[in-house]
Structures are given as C-alpha cells and as structure tokens.
Amino acid sequence: MTTASGSRVAVISHDAQPAGSSIVVSARLSVSIDEPEAVVDLSSALRRLVAGAGAAEGTLHVYCGHTTCGLVINEVDPGLDSDMSKVLERLAPHSGHHYYAHDKLRTADERLVHGSERDNGHSHARAWIATHPELNIPITSGALYLGRWQAVMLAEFDGPRVRELLVRVHTAVVPIASVLAPHAR
C-alpha cells in the first residue's frame, strides 16, 4: 500500500440543510485512486467541510458504500503503510496466490454484473478485517476532534478506482423553535 496525496479528493456535491435540521451539511466526496492498493488521507477535505459548516459542537459522519475499500483512523506514515501491507498479505493473501470462493464460484454472468473480470476476493477480505464502512468523529470548538497523530483515511484494496463517500456534519444543538414546534398547540 502507498499513501496517495490528498489532492485526489474532490467535493462533488455540497448541500446546506434546512433550518432546524440536525444535519448542517451533506456532501459527497469523489476519491480517485490510481494504484491497486493505496491509502488516501481525507483529513484536509473533511476539516474544510467542518469549518464551512459552522457547527461548534457535533459529529462528522463519513460513509463509504463500497465493499473493497473502507475507512480508518490512524497515523499517516509510509512505514505503517508498509507494515499493514505485509500484515494483510499474511492474513488475506492476494487472489493470484490464494484460493477465494468469491472469485472461483462466480459465473460469467455474475462477473459481468460486477463489471470486472479480475479476481478480488482478497480485496473484500482485507476491507472486512482492516476498515470500517462508516466513521463518526466528534466536532468540538468548531473542529474535528482527532488525536495528534490521527488522520481519517480511505484504504483502497481493489484499485484503480474512483470512490464516492457520503459526508454529513451534524450539529449538537437543535434550535429551540424546532424542538417546540411539534408540541405547539
């Protein structure tokens, strides 16, 4: 695995939500990965979304709707990338070196539906054991609450691909009017 630059992340939609909603911003990110396996640091793009949302306290929710990549919070470090590549190769060896029923039992029609003739059983296994499909990160004092060495990353195991992530900024404070409105008589 390699660490890809943050310039591969683009906001493809950004919608402010109606007043009274606990969701302040809903956005979609496009993440382009040129390598078969890579880690993309999303932190800068996510920090910009949070800063633009104006939520002093709340939660950032990031969702990855893909099955051969996923989200992780850890340190951005080439040595750690190398270590994780070696660990994952031991736990879930590449499909070219190991049998996966996912690859071998699919029919030609199933392969066409998935849009790929390549075997990727190892990619599914790696995403399952090493990542999460979604993360919730606290926002406090208007910023992501991450540890000193923590970064929010997308780990890709079946590239090259373009991935889409759903990002929502939730505010912890709901305006009084929206709380009282349902109870008003």
Side-chain angles (χ1 to χ4, degrees):
M1 261 187 314
T2 59
T3 301
S5 73
S7 63
R8 299 173 172 281
V9 180
V11 176
I12 57 174
S13 75
H14 184 281
D15 301 315
Q17 300 301 300
S21 173
S22 67
I23 300 173
V24 181
V25 168
S26 182
R28 293 183 190 273
L29 300 182
S30 174
V31 184
S32 299
I33 299 108
D34 295 332
E35 297 88 14
E37 293 191 2
V39 176
V40 179
D41 186 353
L42 306 171
S43 303
S44 294
L46 296 176
R47 283 187 174 101
R48 284 190 299 273
L49 283 171
V50 168
E57 300 293 324
T59 305
L60 176 80
H61 181 249
V62 185
Y63 178 75
C64 174
H66 303 285
T67 59
T68 55
C69 67
L71 302 165
V72 64
I73 295 178
N74 212 306
E75 184 175 359
V76 175
D77 179 271
L80 182 58
D81 290 352
S82 176
D83 292 341
M84 284 306 299
S85 287
K86 291 173 186 169
V87 166
L88 291 173
E89 183 61 26
R90 285 193 308 267
L91 293 174
H94 192 280
S95 291
H97 308 137
H98 187 77
Y99 174 88
Y100 289 92
H102 171 78
D103 298 334
K104 305 306 179 201
L105 300 181
R106 286 189 294 173
T107 67
D109 288 342
E110 288 171 326
R111 286 177 177 271
L112 288 174
V113 167
H114 290 284
S116 174
E117 286 296 322
R118 65 183 171 201
D119 290 339
N120 65 356
H122 68 287
S123 303
H124 288 278
R126 291 175 184 194
W128 192 333
I129 62 177
T131 67
H132 304 281
E134 63 186 330
L135 297 172
N136 288 299
I137 304 151
I139 298 169
T140 189
S141 301
L144 287 179
Y145 190 77
L146 291 170
R148 180 177 179 183
W149 302 110
Q150 289 182 319
V152 182
M153 298 171 282
L154 176 74
E156 173 64 60
F157 301 107
D158 196 28
R161 296 211 188 251
V162 176
R163 302 299 195 166
E164 187 175 304
L165 306 175
L166 176 63
V167 181
R168 290 193 170 148
V169 177
H170 296 263
T171 185
V173 179
V174 178
I176 294 292
S178 66
V179 173
L180 295 178
H183 303 292
R185 297 185 195 257

